[in-house]
Amino acid sequence: MTQPPAKTIDIKTELPGPKARAVLARRDASVVRGLYRSCPIVAETARGAAVTDVDGNTFIDLNAGIGALNCGHCPDKVTDAIHKQADKLLHLCAIVGTYEPYVELCEKLNELAPIKGEKKTLLCNTGVEAGENAVKIARYATGRQAIIVFEGAFHGRSLLGMTMTSKYDLYKRGFGPFAPEVYRVPFPYEYREKPEGMNSRDYDDYAIGQFKKALVAQVDPTSVAAVIIEPVQGEGGFITASTRYLRKLRSICREHGILFVADEVQSGFCRTGKMFAIESSGVEPDMLLTAKSIASGMPIAAVTGKAEIMDAPHVGGLGSTYGGNPVACASAIASIDTMIEHDLATRALEIGKITMGYFMQWKDKHPIIGDIRCDGAMCAIEFVNDRKTKEPNKTAPARVVEEGFQRGLIMIRAGLYSSCVRTLAPLTITDDQLHEAMSALGEAIAVADGEHAKAA
Ligand SMILES: Cc1ncc(COP(=O)(O)O)c(C=O)c1O
């Protein structure tokens, strides 16, 4: 007789439990309220896709540190590398001197980046810094100032990062004035933006037409240093720009001497079934931004690009105290090796396939589901109040996250309208864990759907 699969989710107390509630009360009293928290989990330990809280309850993580944990929580090879490096050298500062892990990581990223020819890399601390540095480098290399970004984009929360980010409501309200010379164009968001009756191919051309129009109506192309695009929008709700769109955009950039920057902070490192999402389109960026899963949770990010562009700024123009810290570099090297050794790109495709199977069943059953999307293991459900009008449903995602939490899931919302729930499971999640998580998620969606129907 076959045994039923061992369960990972193990909830022993009411949620949040007593110890968690005490820490949450301390958080409320001592930590700024502007720092959003998606779930009331107070984590103590974690391994793979499982997180155990301070009350001994175990959850399945469908968020993975917002995509930072493609190798899972605390992978052995990575924690070993961190311990070894911590015993040898904690810090020096790459502006002051050199340590081998910095160089080795840059060599690895240069090798992996889907860019031909000689490449160079700059290491920094977070995704937003990677974007900021790419803008500095692009401006220096081209002698131009303007930057083009997209509706729905998320590039971080510094002044320039926030300026390049879309979505006023959550990320920008009250924080202006913003940085100058940043222009925004529509992203090819088929579900919401494709005119009725138009096919996908024509829509790509239509969206490219909108981009071309911006070069007439908004900004002189000869003053544009770079276009920065997420090949799969992350915070925007997991929307993939098609190959046709990306290729046409690339060719417009080439025509006008505009640099093409792929922001792969969330879509990178095997998440979409390739090392980097842009590879699916065959488009070669001038610069590639990476962070998050590069180092399994250690704070480090990178800009990798064509050597002649990356080497444009003067000596001393780039750098930071901690960027490319030795321990974070060791973690990144071990994380990248783990992803390759375990072929996590292939695993992402399997996870996406299983997840999409569930999404399709739920879409048939629940009218609040407007759209379902999986690019590899970057999976999202978009909720609507009405399938015909596609009016965004902002209540359901929050309810799904809450109900999912009560059933042992860690999740977060997404989308320009906060109308999506995204799943970004660690790519090391087992099939049993994934099915268990999907079963809990299905129940949570059924609750939200039932409430919506009752209120209607
Ligand atoms: C595509 C993208 N770019 C940049 C960032 C900013 O990264 P960080 O939060 O590490 O600054 C994020 C964060 O979610 C992101 O998803």
Side-chain angles (χ1 to χ4, degrees):
M1 221 171 67
T2 50
Q3 294 289 318
K7 295 273 188 221
T8 295
I9 296 173
D10 184 13
I11 305 299
K12 303 175 191 318
T13 68
E14 61 175 330
L15 291 178
K19 288 185 184 160
R21 282 204 304 275
V23 178
L24 290 170
R26 284 168 52 205
R27 172 176 169 150
D28 287 347
S30 62
V31 179
V32 289
R33 76 183 179 122
L35 182 70
Y36 176 73
R37 80 172 151 69
S38 179
C39 302
I41 183 150
V42 179
E44 190 162 73
T45 60
R47 205 96 201 148
V51 179
T52 300
D53 78 358
V54 285
D55 294 291
N57 300 304
T58 299
F59 299 75
I60 293 180
D61 191 351
L62 286 185
N63 170 60
I66 320 191
L69 303 168
N70 289 356
C71 293
H73 286 273
C74 301
D76 288 341
K77 190 171 177 132
V78 174
T79 52
D80 283 355
I82 291 171
H83 287 136
K84 281 197 188 117
Q85 185 57 48
D87 283 341
K88 285 199 285 191
L89 178 74
L90 271 184
H91 182 57
L92 177 76
C93 183
I95 292 173
V96 174
T98 304
Y99 38 92
E100 199 180 351
Y102 191 112
V103 178
E104 188 182 339
L105 178 56
C106 292
E107 286 168 347
K108 249 186 209 309
L109 291 167
N110 293 342
E111 204 178 294
L112 288 174
I115 301 171
K116 291 192 203 87
E118 202 194 331
K119 285 160 270 180
K120 291 260 179 113
T121 289
L122 169 75
L123 301 179
C124 33
N125 298 288
T126 64
V128 73
E129 267 185 51
E132 292 253 357
N133 279 292
V135 169
K136 285 171 68 174
I137 295 167
R139 285 181 170 160
Y140 212 109
T142 60
R144 303 169 173 192
Q145 293 188 351
I147 303 295
I148 299 182
V149 290
F150 290 82
E151 287 178 7
F154 186 87
H155 299 293
R157 293 171 184 267
S158 63
L159 175 60
L160 180 56
M162 176 178 60
T163 305
M164 297 197 294
T165 287
S166 188
K167 192 169 174 174
Y168 274 82
D169 179 30
L170 205 56
Y171 302 126
K172 301 173 80 155
R173 195 198 313 128
F175 295 136
F178 303 110
E181 287 306 310
V182 175
Y183 299 85
R184 191 172 308 284
V185 296
F187 188 83
Y189 185 0
E190 226 187 281
Y191 175 64
R192 290 208 165 274
E193 303 293 337
K194 182 164 75 63
E196 185 100 20
M198 190 181 269
N199 65 37
S200 300
R201 193 185 156 87
D202 287 350
Y203 175 59
D204 285 333
D205 295 348
Y206 171 83
I208 280 294
Q210 291 177 311
F211 186 90
K212 282 185 179 160
K213 186 176 163 209
L215 298 183
V216 177
Q218 286 198 55
V219 58
D220 171 10
T222 63
S223 67
V224 180
V227 167
I228 304 187
I229 186 166
E230 295 160 84
V232 186
Q233 282 195 336
E235 303 300 303
F238 293 4
I239 307 158
T240 302
S242 72
T243 293
R244 184 176 175 83
Y245 183 87
L246 289 170
R247 286 186 181 170
K248 290 198 163 209
L249 184 64
R250 169 78 261 195
S251 109
I252 295 170
C253 287
R254 205 166 269 132
E255 186 190 329
H256 294 289
I258 299 169
L259 300 180
F260 185 109
V261 181
D263 182 342
E264 297 250 13
V265 166
Q266 196 157 159
S267 59
F269 295 109
C270 302
R271 176 57 55 188
T272 66
K274 300 271 187 202
M275 184 53 80
F276 300 107
I278 194 78
E279 290 174 56
S280 302
S281 66
V283 163
E284 196 191 327
D286 294 300
M287 283 187 260
L288 179 82
L289 312 182
T290 52
K292 291 195 188 269
S293 275
I294 190 175
S296 300
M298 294 295 283
I300 184 165
V303 188
T304 302
K306 292 188 175 152
E308 71 267 21
I309 295 168
M310 296 298 292
D311 274 341
H314 58 266
V315 173
L318 303 172
S320 67
T321 303
Y322 297 117
N325 161 274
V327 182
C329 285
S331 178
I333 292 163
S335 298
I336 293 170
D337 288 349
T338 301
M339 291 180 227
I340 295 170
E341 264 166 44
H342 294 272
D343 191 10
L344 292 187
T346 302
R347 180 64 187 146
L349 296 177
E350 291 162 1
I351 291 169
K353 202 166 160 215
I354 294 172
T355 305
M356 192 44 131
Y358 283 94
F359 282 10
M360 286 190 313
Q361 286 173 34
W362 299 336
K363 192 175 176 197
D364 282 345
K365 274 200 288 197
H366 302 304
I368 49 165
I369 297 183
D371 195 28
I372 49 178
R373 303 184 277 269
C374 278
D375 192 334
M378 229 171 156
C379 304
I381 300 177
E382 180 153 358
F383 293 91
V384 288
N385 286 322
D386 180 305
R387 277 193 182 163
K388 226 175 152 57
T389 64
K390 298 183 182 175
E391 185 194 344
N393 184 329
K394 298 175 188 178
T395 322
R399 288 293 295 128
V400 170
V401 171
E402 276 165 24
E403 289 295 323
F405 180 71
Q406 289 302 324
R407 288 163 177 77
L409 298 180
I410 301 172
M411 288 187 294
I412 197 166
R413 296 174 300 174
L416 190 56
Y417 305 97
S418 303
S419 58
C420 304
V421 167
R422 57 181 141 166
T423 70
L424 277 167
L427 301 178
T428 52
I429 194 169
T430 64
D431 279 0
D432 286 345
Q433 286 174 324
L434 186 57
H435 288 296
E436 190 183 350
M438 288 297 125
S439 160
L441 178 55
E443 285 176 22
I445 291 171
V447 171
D449 190 49
E451 287 173 356
H452 180 80
K454 220 183 248 170

XYZ file of all heavy atoms in Angstrom, residues 96-147:
395
model
N 38.555 49.881 -1.481
C 39.841 49.946 -0.784
C 40.824 48.904 -1.310
O 42.010 49.164 -1.487
C 39.607 49.748 0.738
C 40.926 49.670 1.498
C 38.746 50.887 1.281
N 40.335 47.709 -1.545
C 41.220 46.637 -1.987
C 40.430 45.533 -2.668
O 39.258 45.717 -2.991
N 41.088 44.391 -2.855
C 40.475 43.309 -3.628
C 40.439 42.023 -2.819
O 41.363 41.764 -2.041
C 41.288 43.094 -4.924
O 41.348 44.342 -5.617
C 40.635 42.059 -5.839
N 39.385 41.270 -2.967
C 39.302 39.915 -2.397
C 38.729 39.041 -3.490
O 37.914 39.481 -4.312
C 38.458 39.892 -1.107
C 37.253 40.793 -1.154
C 36.020 40.305 -1.590
C 37.349 42.134 -0.805
C 34.920 41.138 -1.657
C 36.246 42.977 -0.881
C 35.030 42.469 -1.308
O 33.960 43.295 -1.402
N 39.157 37.784 -3.491
C 38.858 36.930 -4.639
C 37.359 36.697 -4.890
O 36.931 36.686 -6.043
C 39.596 35.597 -4.526
C 39.671 34.926 -5.887
C 40.406 33.600 -5.835
O 41.009 33.279 -4.793
O 40.362 32.896 -6.852
N 36.520 36.500 -3.832
C 35.106 36.227 -4.110
C 34.441 37.313 -4.965
O 33.578 37.007 -5.799
C 34.480 36.153 -2.712
C 35.603 35.738 -1.812
C 36.820 36.393 -2.386
N 34.836 38.579 -4.805
C 34.256 39.658 -5.622
C 34.572 39.382 -7.093
O 33.693 39.420 -7.965
C 34.831 41.019 -5.179
C 34.107 42.229 -5.769
C 33.360 43.078 -4.967
C 34.193 42.542 -7.128
C 32.687 44.181 -5.494
C 33.541 43.653 -7.661
C 32.784 44.466 -6.836
O 32.123 45.557 -7.363
N 35.835 39.095 -7.348
C 36.281 38.880 -8.731
C 35.620 37.620 -9.302
O 35.116 37.620 -10.434
C 37.828 38.756 -8.775
C 38.306 38.482 -10.193
C 38.466 40.024 -8.211
N 35.589 36.574 -8.500
C 35.017 35.301 -8.979
C 33.527 35.464 -9.334
O 33.058 34.940 -10.345
C 35.183 34.215 -7.906
C 34.790 32.844 -8.420
C 34.901 31.758 -7.354
O 35.627 31.955 -6.364
O 34.235 30.719 -7.531
N 32.805 36.211 -8.508
C 31.378 36.399 -8.800
C 31.196 37.211 -10.091
O 30.341 36.884 -10.923
C 30.676 37.086 -7.617
C 29.193 37.380 -7.823
C 28.399 36.116 -8.165
C 28.598 38.055 -6.579
N 32.006 38.249 -10.256
C 31.908 39.040 -11.490
C 32.223 38.157 -12.698
O 31.538 38.231 -13.729
C 32.838 40.242 -11.445
S 32.313 41.452 -10.225
N 33.239 37.315 -12.580
C 33.582 36.408 -13.695
C 32.395 35.500 -14.026
O 32.046 35.286 -15.184
C 34.793 35.539 -13.319
C 36.104 36.296 -13.320
C 37.261 35.528 -12.671
O 37.020 34.494 -11.997
O 38.401 35.976 -12.820
N 31.758 34.994 -12.971
C 30.618 34.084 -13.174
C 29.467 34.804 -13.871
O 28.853 34.288 -14.800
C 30.105 33.603 -11.807
C 30.375 32.146 -11.548
C 29.718 31.697 -10.267
C 30.467 30.571 -9.625
N 30.808 29.430 -10.418
N 29.163 36.020 -13.405
C 28.047 36.765 -13.997
C 28.359 37.150 -15.446
O 27.487 37.114 -16.314
C 27.724 38.002 -13.149
C 27.104 37.685 -11.782
C 27.115 38.911 -10.873
C 25.677 37.155 -11.927
N 29.618 37.499 -15.701
C 30.003 37.834 -17.077
C 29.803 36.621 -17.996
O 29.383 36.754 -19.144
C 31.472 38.270 -17.147
C 31.706 39.591 -16.424
O 30.762 40.331 -16.163
N 32.952 39.865 -16.082
N 30.108 35.465 -17.442
C 29.962 34.228 -18.226
C 28.486 33.912 -18.486
O 28.104 33.492 -19.568
C 30.603 33.106 -17.420
C 31.068 31.921 -18.224
C 31.712 30.927 -17.285
O 32.774 31.268 -16.717
O 31.131 29.861 -17.102
N 27.648 34.145 -17.480
C 26.232 33.759 -17.590
C 25.371 34.766 -18.355
O 24.356 34.398 -18.950
C 25.615 33.622 -16.185
C 26.042 32.424 -15.349
C 25.451 32.542 -13.945
C 25.575 31.122 -15.995
N 25.737 36.036 -18.317
C 24.868 37.071 -18.912
C 24.702 36.817 -20.410
O 25.694 36.558 -21.105
C 25.474 38.445 -18.682
N 23.473 36.873 -20.912
C 23.243 36.584 -22.335
C 23.613 37.772 -23.226
O 22.784 38.333 -23.939
C 21.737 36.279 -22.372
C 21.163 37.068 -21.249
C 22.221 37.174 -20.193
N 24.879 38.152 -23.132
C 25.400 39.304 -23.878
C 26.692 38.827 -24.533
O 27.529 38.205 -23.862
C 25.699 40.480 -22.906
C 24.427 40.899 -22.152
C 26.336 41.650 -23.636
C 24.669 41.905 -21.021
N 26.833 39.133 -25.823
C 28.045 38.656 -26.529
C 29.236 39.562 -26.227
O 29.064 40.721 -25.848
C 27.796 38.650 -28.036
C 26.799 37.584 -28.484
C 26.821 37.436 -30.007
C 25.516 36.845 -30.491
N 24.452 37.822 -30.763
N 30.434 39.020 -26.446
C 31.649 39.831 -26.350
C 32.134 39.981 -24.917
O 31.678 39.303 -24.004
N 33.064 40.935 -24.766
C 33.668 41.141 -23.449
C 32.671 41.826 -22.519
O 31.980 42.771 -22.931
C 34.921 42.021 -23.608
C 35.894 41.878 -22.464
C 36.938 42.990 -22.468
O 37.260 43.501 -23.562
O 37.397 43.333 -21.370
N 32.578 41.348 -21.289
C 31.621 41.900 -20.336
C 32.321 42.290 -19.039
O 33.381 41.771 -18.724
C 30.538 40.852 -20.019
C 29.535 40.676 -21.141
C 28.787 39.378 -21.064
C 29.525 38.303 -21.837
N 28.818 36.983 -21.787
N 31.687 43.206 -18.313
C 32.195 43.597 -16.994
C 31.012 43.704 -16.044
O 29.871 43.917 -16.484
C 32.899 44.957 -17.078
C 34.212 44.945 -17.856
C 35.381 44.903 -16.912
C 36.711 44.870 -17.640
N 37.488 46.108 -17.430
N 31.294 43.597 -14.755
C 30.225 43.636 -13.745
C 30.591 44.580 -12.612
O 31.764 44.674 -12.211
C 29.983 42.208 -13.195
O 29.364 41.424 -14.217
C 29.089 42.201 -11.971
N 29.570 45.263 -12.093
C 29.690 46.047 -10.858
C 28.771 45.403 -9.832
O 27.614 45.119 -10.138
C 29.239 47.503 -11.096
C 29.075 48.339 -9.818
C 30.432 48.736 -9.245
C 28.240 49.600 -10.092
N 29.261 45.178 -8.627
C 28.408 44.629 -7.570
C 27.916 45.746 -6.665
O 28.649 46.707 -6.384
C 29.184 43.595 -6.747
C 29.727 42.391 -7.536
C 30.507 41.451 -6.622
C 28.598 41.637 -8.232
N 26.679 45.643 -6.245
C 26.128 46.604 -5.295
C 25.269 45.851 -4.286
O 25.360 44.617 -4.215
C 25.384 47.724 -6.006
S 24.574 47.256 -7.511
N 24.461 46.570 -3.520
C 23.799 45.928 -2.373
C 22.388 45.426 -2.640
O 21.983 44.423 -2.074
C 23.734 46.903 -1.198
C 25.118 47.300 -0.729
O 25.826 46.511 -0.135
N 25.504 48.524 -1.036
N 21.614 46.166 -3.427
C 20.203 45.809 -3.603
C 19.792 46.060 -5.056
O 20.491 46.756 -5.794
C 19.283 46.692 -2.731
O 19.408 48.039 -3.192
C 19.630 46.618 -1.268
N 18.625 45.535 -5.399
C 18.127 45.691 -6.757
C 18.031 47.148 -7.182
O 18.391 47.506 -8.304
N 17.550 47.984 -6.278
C 17.373 49.390 -6.653
C 18.713 50.047 -6.975
O 18.815 50.866 -7.889
C 16.589 50.170 -5.564
C 17.418 50.420 -4.328
C 16.057 51.480 -6.123
N 19.740 49.642 -6.256
C 21.065 50.201 -6.539
C 21.587 49.725 -7.891
O 22.324 50.454 -8.556
C 22.058 49.731 -5.477
C 22.217 50.649 -4.327
C 23.313 50.129 -3.418
O 24.422 49.835 -3.884
O 23.029 49.974 -2.230
N 21.225 48.501 -8.258
C 21.647 48.016 -9.574
C 21.037 48.925 -10.644
O 21.726 49.356 -11.583
C 21.215 46.564 -9.768
N 19.752 49.255 -10.487
C 19.083 50.142 -11.451
C 19.708 51.525 -11.470
O 19.946 52.116 -12.524
N 19.986 52.068 -10.284
C 20.595 53.401 -10.183
C 21.954 53.418 -10.896
O 22.284 54.351 -11.620
C 20.833 53.772 -8.712
C 19.566 53.988 -7.911
C 19.327 55.458 -7.593
O 20.177 56.295 -7.945
O 18.282 55.743 -6.999
N 22.742 52.380 -10.644
C 24.074 52.332 -11.263
C 23.974 52.154 -12.775
O 24.783 52.718 -13.513
C 24.918 51.232 -10.623
C 25.537 51.694 -9.319
O 26.400 52.552 -9.309
N 25.056 51.156 -8.211
N 22.987 51.389 -13.217
C 22.816 51.222 -14.670
C 22.505 52.569 -15.317
O 23.006 52.878 -16.407
C 21.705 50.215 -14.958
N 21.698 53.378 -14.639
C 21.379 54.707 -15.188
C 22.642 55.573 -15.230
O 22.924 56.239 -16.237
C 20.256 55.384 -14.361
C 20.099 56.844 -14.750
C 18.938 54.630 -14.534
N 23.415 55.544 -14.160
C 24.655 56.336 -14.153
C 25.560 55.913 -15.310
O 26.103 56.746 -16.037
C 25.411 56.130 -12.826
C 24.799 56.865 -11.644
C 25.447 56.469 -10.318
C 26.883 56.923 -10.181
N 27.408 56.624 -8.797
N 25.716 54.607 -15.456
C 26.625 54.092 -16.492
C 26.087 54.437 -17.878
O 26.835 54.890 -18.760
C 26.818 52.564 -16.322
C 27.532 52.269 -14.996
C 27.586 51.966 -17.500
C 27.498 50.803 -14.559
N 24.769 54.251 -18.061
C 24.171 54.537 -19.378
C 24.328 56.012 -19.731
O 24.632 56.370 -20.873
C 22.694 54.139 -19.373
N 24.126 56.883 -18.756
C 24.264 58.324 -19.026
C 25.701 58.667 -19.386
O 25.963 59.430 -20.306
C 23.803 59.128 -17.797
C 22.291 59.134 -17.680
C 21.814 59.936 -16.489
N 20.367 60.110 -16.560
C 19.600 60.413 -15.519
N 20.135 60.593 -14.329
N 18.297 60.565 -15.676
N 26.616 58.098 -18.658
C 28.034 58.389 -18.902
C 28.438 57.867 -20.288
O 29.101 58.565 -21.069
C 28.888 57.715 -17.829
C 30.138 58.476 -17.487
C 30.255 59.129 -16.265
C 31.200 58.540 -18.383
C 31.412 59.831 -15.935
C 32.354 59.244 -18.070
C 32.468 59.885 -16.844
O 33.604 60.577 -16.523
N 27.995 56.644 -20.574
C 28.432 55.997 -21.825
C 27.831 56.678 -23.051
O 28.453 56.708 -24.112
C 28.056 54.518 -21.803
N 26.621 57.198 -22.925
C 25.956 57.771 -24.104
C 26.049 59.293 -24.138
O 25.786 59.905 -25.172
C 24.454 57.403 -24.116
O 23.848 57.923 -22.924
C 24.228 55.904 -24.203
N 26.331 59.907 -23.002
C 26.311 61.365 -22.932
C 24.886 61.902 -23.006
O 24.664 63.084 -23.273
N 23.900 61.057 -22.779
C 22.490 61.463 -22.821
C 21.884 61.342 -21.419
O 22.415 60.626 -20.582
C 21.716 60.542 -23.777
C 22.289 60.515 -25.194
C 21.628 59.384 -25.955
N 21.997 59.374 -27.358
C 21.368 58.622 -28.260
N 20.346 57.847 -27.899
N 21.747 58.642 -29.526
N 20.708 61.954 -21.243
C 20.151 61.970 -19.880
C 18.858 61.190 -19.705
O 18.567 60.690 -18.623
C 19.893 63.415 -19.460
C 21.166 64.207 -19.301
C 20.927 65.568 -18.700
O 19.795 65.996 -18.538
N 22.007 66.243 -18.369
N 18.031 61.127 -20.739
C 16.675 60.589 -20.538
C 16.671 59.075 -20.370
O 17.517 58.354 -20.916
C 15.785 60.988 -21.704
N 15.697 58.614 -19.601
C 15.515 57.183 -19.347
C 14.049 56.872 -19.642
O 13.166 57.625 -19.228
C 15.802 56.853 -17.858
C 17.209 57.284 -17.448
C 15.565 55.374 -17.548
C 18.347 56.538 -18.139
